[in-house]
Short mmCIF file of all heavy atoms in Angstrom, two decimals:
data_model
loop_
_atom_site.label_atom_id
_atom_site.label_comp_id
_atom_site.label_asym_id
_atom_site.label_seq_id
_atom_site.Cartn_x
_atom_site.Cartn_y
_atom_site.Cartn_z
N LYS A 108 7.91 -3.77 22.09
CA LYS A 108 6.98 -2.70 21.69
C LYS A 108 6.25 -3.14 20.44
O LYS A 108 6.87 -3.62 19.49
CB LYS A 108 7.80 -1.41 21.39
CG LYS A 108 6.93 -0.25 20.99
CD LYS A 108 6.37 0.47 22.21
CE LYS A 108 5.20 1.38 21.89
NZ LYS A 108 3.87 0.70 21.85
N GLY A 109 4.96 -2.96 20.44
CA GLY A 109 4.16 -3.28 19.25
C GLY A 109 2.70 -3.37 19.62
O GLY A 109 2.36 -3.43 20.81
N GLY A 110 1.86 -3.40 18.61
CA GLY A 110 0.43 -3.25 18.82
C GLY A 110 -0.30 -4.49 19.29
O GLY A 110 0.26 -5.57 19.41
N GLN A 129 8.00 -6.33 13.41
CA GLN A 129 8.10 -5.19 14.35
C GLN A 129 9.53 -5.01 14.83
O GLN A 129 9.99 -3.90 15.06
CB GLN A 129 7.15 -5.43 15.52
CG GLN A 129 6.80 -4.18 16.31
CD GLN A 129 5.71 -3.35 15.67
OE1 GLN A 129 4.69 -3.88 15.26
NE2 GLN A 129 5.92 -2.05 15.59
N LYS A 132 11.38 -3.16 12.06
CA LYS A 132 10.78 -1.84 11.91
C LYS A 132 11.21 -0.91 13.05
O LYS A 132 11.62 0.22 12.83
CB LYS A 132 9.25 -2.00 11.92
CG LYS A 132 8.47 -0.72 11.71
CD LYS A 132 7.01 -0.85 12.18
CE LYS A 132 6.27 -2.00 11.50
NZ LYS A 132 4.79 -1.91 11.74
N LYS A 144 4.15 -8.18 19.67
CA LYS A 144 2.79 -8.00 19.12
C LYS A 144 1.85 -8.87 19.92
O LYS A 144 2.26 -9.90 20.46
CB LYS A 144 2.76 -8.43 17.65
CG LYS A 144 1.59 -7.85 16.87
CD LYS A 144 1.93 -6.49 16.31
CE LYS A 144 0.78 -5.81 15.66
NZ LYS A 144 1.23 -4.59 14.95
N VAL A 180 5.46 -2.65 26.04
CA VAL A 180 4.53 -1.53 25.95
C VAL A 180 3.64 -1.70 24.72
O VAL A 180 4.00 -1.31 23.60
CB VAL A 180 5.32 -0.19 25.86
CG1 VAL A 180 4.36 1.01 25.82
CG2 VAL A 180 6.27 -0.06 27.06
N ALA A 182 0.25 -1.24 22.10
CA ALA A 182 -0.45 -0.09 21.52
C ALA A 182 -1.59 -0.65 20.68
O ALA A 182 -1.97 -1.82 20.85
CB ALA A 182 0.52 0.72 20.65
N GLY A 183 -2.12 0.14 19.75
CA GLY A 183 -3.22 -0.31 18.91
C GLY A 183 -2.75 -0.97 17.62
O GLY A 183 -1.58 -0.94 17.26
N ASP A 184 -3.68 -1.60 16.96
CA ASP A 184 -3.51 -2.15 15.61
C ASP A 184 -4.96 -2.37 15.11
O ASP A 184 -5.88 -1.73 15.61
CB ASP A 184 -2.70 -3.45 15.63
CG ASP A 184 -2.22 -3.90 14.25
OD1 ASP A 184 -1.25 -3.35 13.74
OD2 ASP A 184 -2.86 -4.81 13.63
N THR A 211 0.77 2.83 24.58
CA THR A 211 0.78 4.07 23.81
C THR A 211 -0.47 4.12 22.93
O THR A 211 -1.16 3.11 22.78
CB THR A 211 2.06 4.22 22.94
OG1 THR A 211 2.13 3.11 22.05
CG2 THR A 211 3.30 4.27 23.81
N ARG A 223 0.03 11.03 17.46
CA ARG A 223 0.07 9.55 17.42
C ARG A 223 -1.05 8.99 16.55
O ARG A 223 -0.79 8.09 15.73
CB ARG A 223 0.03 8.94 18.84
CG ARG A 223 -0.02 7.37 18.81
CD ARG A 223 1.22 6.78 18.15
NE ARG A 223 1.15 5.34 17.89
CZ ARG A 223 0.67 4.76 16.78
NH1 ARG A 223 0.14 5.51 15.80
NH2 ARG A 223 0.73 3.47 16.63
N ASN A 371 0.81 -3.84 7.31
CA ASN A 371 1.93 -4.76 7.50
C ASN A 371 1.82 -5.91 6.49
O ASN A 371 0.78 -6.58 6.45
CB ASN A 371 1.93 -5.31 8.94
CG ASN A 371 2.42 -4.26 9.92
OD1 ASN A 371 3.50 -3.71 9.79
ND2 ASN A 371 1.60 -3.94 10.91
N ASN A 396 5.59 2.15 7.11
CA ASN A 396 4.59 2.39 8.17
C ASN A 396 5.19 2.50 9.56
O ASN A 396 4.46 2.46 10.57
CB ASN A 396 3.45 1.33 8.12
CG ASN A 396 3.88 -0.04 8.60
OD1 ASN A 396 4.64 -0.16 9.55
ND2 ASN A 396 3.35 -1.08 7.99
N GLY A 399 4.08 5.14 12.88
CA GLY A 399 3.17 4.91 14.01
C GLY A 399 3.94 4.50 15.25
O GLY A 399 3.81 5.15 16.31
N VAL A 400 4.77 3.50 15.11
CA VAL A 400 5.52 3.05 16.29
C VAL A 400 6.57 4.09 16.66
O VAL A 400 6.91 4.24 17.85
CB VAL A 400 6.11 1.65 16.08
CG1 VAL A 400 7.30 1.65 15.15
CG2 VAL A 400 6.47 1.02 17.41
N SER A 403 4.85 6.36 18.83
CA SER A 403 4.65 5.64 20.10
C SER A 403 5.91 5.76 20.96
O SER A 403 5.83 5.96 22.18
CB SER A 403 4.36 4.15 19.85
OG SER A 403 3.02 3.94 19.56
O1 2IT B 5 2.34 -2.33 13.36
C1 2IT B 5 2.63 -1.35 14.08
O2 2IT B 5 3.73 -0.77 13.97
C2 2IT B 5 1.64 -0.87 15.03
N1 2IT B 5 0.53 -1.38 15.07
C3 2IT B 5 1.99 0.24 15.99
C4 2IT B 5 2.74 -0.30 17.16
C5 2IT B 5 2.99 0.67 18.27
O3 2IT B 5 3.53 0.22 19.29
O4 2IT B 5 2.67 1.86 18.15
#
Side-chain angles (χ1 to χ4, degrees):
K108 181 83 197 85
Q129 199 81 47
K132 183 198 303 193
K144 199 86 186 190
V180 183
D184 193 78
T211 60
R223 176 62 189 89
N371 285 304
N396 73 38
V400 74
S403 277

